[in-house]
Amino acid sequence: MSEYMDFFARLAQETSERKREFLQLGRIAGRFPVASTSEDGEISVWCSNDYLGMGQHPAVLAAMKRAVDEYGAGSGGSRNIGGTNHYHVALEKELAALHGKADAVLFTSGYSANEGALSVLAGRIDDCAVFSDRLNHASIIDGLRHSGAEKFIYRHNDCAHLEELLSGVDPDRPKLIVTESVHSMRGDIAPLAQIADIAKRYGAVTFLDEVHAVGMYGPEGAGIAAREGLAAEFTVVMGTLAKGFGTTGGYVAGPTVLMDAVRAFARSFIFTTALPPSVAAGALAAVRHLRGSATERERLAANARLTHGLLRERRIPFLSDQTHIVSAVVGEDRLCKAMSALLLERHGAYVQAVDAPSVPKGEEILRIAPSAVHDSAGIRRFVDALEAVWTDLGGPRG
């Protein structure tokens, strides 16, 4: 028994610095970004990934309720064994059309979409060389690791380094370039035109993660590549239903031959229960609404611009003004957590402190997400509160 106690003690010691506590939130339907907690009462949420408020949209809620009444709570099985509902198929067709691709495959999460698709696309082709941005998401890292393919990591958004690595590989080797369009923590945008040009010159297949862009950018919410007129230049597009579309799930879209391979070999697709039909129905309603409405995207952009401007006025440093992800730079773990706690305690404003492993140690941030459902008065009150906390705790100025 002592050997187990030693194991538990070592594990507890390793965990102690990274132990996480989770704030229990009740997002109040129809009133978001207002939420309730057992200890703090009603608060305002400033770090949700429901960027457009589609998780509260009447059309989405109605579609989910109808589907529950029609088909019950769960899907009943994996996609291959009794779990495929017509809402899954309709959603895949809608997502393929959104991105101008031949086909799409639906997963239960964005993480499983990246992990499953990349393990197949990089792993089933002999001697594939993969070129991945240094700051790509953990799901990309895990998918490439599980693929067994040789990886070349280029500096974040550094196309010169990407080309240098590509030039050092046998021209006849199959090549895959993987990047996020909007980086999840920094909020900056990849140089997609340069990456597409490099891929073309070196004969590389491209895999573009648009998780933090779908719904929010481009015509019909198709993402950054579509906004830049580059959608056709990227072979496979990956997205989520859990952010701009307000529900849950993930997907990849691309050529039929690649999507068929994903369906045939991706373990995270094959060996899991399919999304409940109600979730697929809600996501389908969200995608269709955002393809026909720019109102939410315009509100999101305006709120992001206002937040950037107010932070500049107060010299509170943040990483990028390119997107709606506003990462205020704190740079120290305890200070970041103290700021988050004080914002909640004094001002009823919830922003999660983001630390390792989500960001490197010493690069801790408050990841602020002004959404389409915040209003300008609320944004001003929030920045005033942040300024007060920043001053009281001696946050860095930029």
Side-chain angles (χ1 to χ4, degrees):
M1 186 66 180
S2 61
E3 62 270 24
Y4 296 112
M5 297 303 294
D6 289 344
F7 172 79
F8 293 151
R10 287 197 300 271
L11 186 60
Q13 184 176 2
E14 290 178 6
T15 305
S16 60
E17 290 186 4
R18 289 191 178 178
K19 185 177 179 180
R20 298 193 172 191
E21 296 179 0
F22 302 104
L23 182 66
Q24 295 184 46
L25 283 175
R27 300 202 312 154
I28 302 173
R31 293 183 60 202
F32 188 73
V34 176
S36 64
T37 71
S38 57
E39 294 184 359
D40 302 287
E42 288 193 359
I43 64 169
S44 181
V45 179
W46 291 89
C47 54
S48 173
N49 283 339
D50 188 3
Y51 299 129
L52 299 175
M54 293 306 295
Q56 308 280 319
H57 195 281
V60 174
L61 301 184
M64 295 187 75
K65 289 172 184 175
R66 281 196 305 271
V68 167
D69 289 340
E70 288 176 319
Y71 300 112
S75 64
S78 68
R79 288 292 300 275
N80 191 48
I81 306 178
T84 294
N85 181 274
H86 79 88
Y87 279 122
H88 298 126
V89 177
L91 179 54
E92 287 173 333
K93 289 180 179 178
E94 193 76 26
L95 292 166
L98 173 67
H99 294 291
K101 303 300 183 186
D103 198 3
V105 181
L106 188 61
F107 285 79
T108 54
S109 72
Y111 189 100
S112 62
N114 264 336
E115 191 282 328
L118 285 169
S119 67
V120 172
L121 298 178
R124 303 294 301 189
I125 299 173
D126 289 341
D127 202 29
C128 183
V130 182
F131 302 83
S132 180
D133 188 292
R134 185 179 72 86
L135 296 185
N136 275 340
H137 191 264
S139 56
I140 293 174
I141 295 169
D142 286 353
L144 296 179
R145 181 182 294 132
H146 295 159
S147 77
E150 185 178 10
K151 299 182 293 294
F152 299 85
I153 309 302
Y154 64 92
R155 292 184 292 269
H156 180 55
N157 285 351
D158 188 336
C159 286
H161 190 215
L162 170 60
E163 187 158 14
E164 177 187 332
L165 293 173
L166 278 160
S167 66
V169 171
D170 184 339
D172 293 329
R173 282 186 74 178
K175 304 172 198 62
L176 175 65
I177 299 173
V178 185
T179 188
E180 298 177 55
S181 61
V182 175
H183 186 260
S184 58
M185 289 297 141
R186 299 182 63 87
D188 54 349
I189 294 175
L192 297 187
Q194 291 174 265
I195 291 172
D197 179 64
I198 290 169
K200 192 175 295 184
R201 285 190 281 115
Y202 286 86
V205 170
T206 46
F207 185 103
L208 181 62
D209 178 326
E210 292 257 38
V211 158
H212 293 274
V214 288
M216 283 84 71
Y217 299 94
E220 301 185 350
I224 297 294
R227 186 187 74 177
E228 304 300 321
L230 298 167
E233 303 299 320
F234 288 87
T235 317
V236 176
V237 174
M238 176 268 170
T240 186
L241 305 168
K243 296 178 172 61
F245 298 126
T247 57
T248 192
Y251 64 90
V252 288
T256 300
V257 63
L258 298 185
M259 298 302 99
D260 282 346
V262 169
R263 288 189 184 94
F265 298 112
R267 294 168 70 86
S268 62
F269 174 80
I270 297 167
F271 297 105
T272 194
T273 300
L275 284 174
S278 59
V279 173
L284 180 61
V287 174
R288 286 176 173 170
H289 174 82
L290 290 172
R291 292 189 73 186
S293 171
T295 302
E296 293 82 2
R297 287 188 283 280
E298 290 166 359
R299 284 197 204 120
L300 181 69
N303 287 345
R305 285 193 300 270
L306 177 59
T307 307
H308 294 143
L310 293 173
L311 292 182
R312 281 198 192 93
E313 288 176 9
R314 291 156 175 79
R315 298 182 58 247
I316 295 175
F318 57 94
L319 291 174
S320 173
D321 64 358
Q322 291 183 292
T323 65
H324 60 284
I325 297 172
V326 186
S327 298
V329 180
V330 181
E332 200 277 314
D333 185 26
R334 290 184 182 178
L335 177 59
C336 201
K337 289 176 180 174
M339 286 184 172
S340 175
L342 204 55
L343 276 167
L344 186 61
E345 177 187 329
R346 288 186 183 174
H347 303 282
Y350 171 49
V351 181
Q352 182 62 44
V354 178
D355 55 9
S358 299
V359 295
K361 191 173 178 61
E363 298 182 18
E364 289 78 8
I365 58 173
L366 290 176
R367 186 182 179 278
I368 303 161
S371 74
V373 295
H374 288 93
D375 59 36
S376 58
I379 291 171
R380 292 180 187 279
R381 287 193 299 271
F382 168 75
V383 175
D384 286 342
L386 181 61
E387 160 71 10
V389 167
W390 207 271
T391 299
D392 288 352
L393 295 181
R397 299 285 178 172

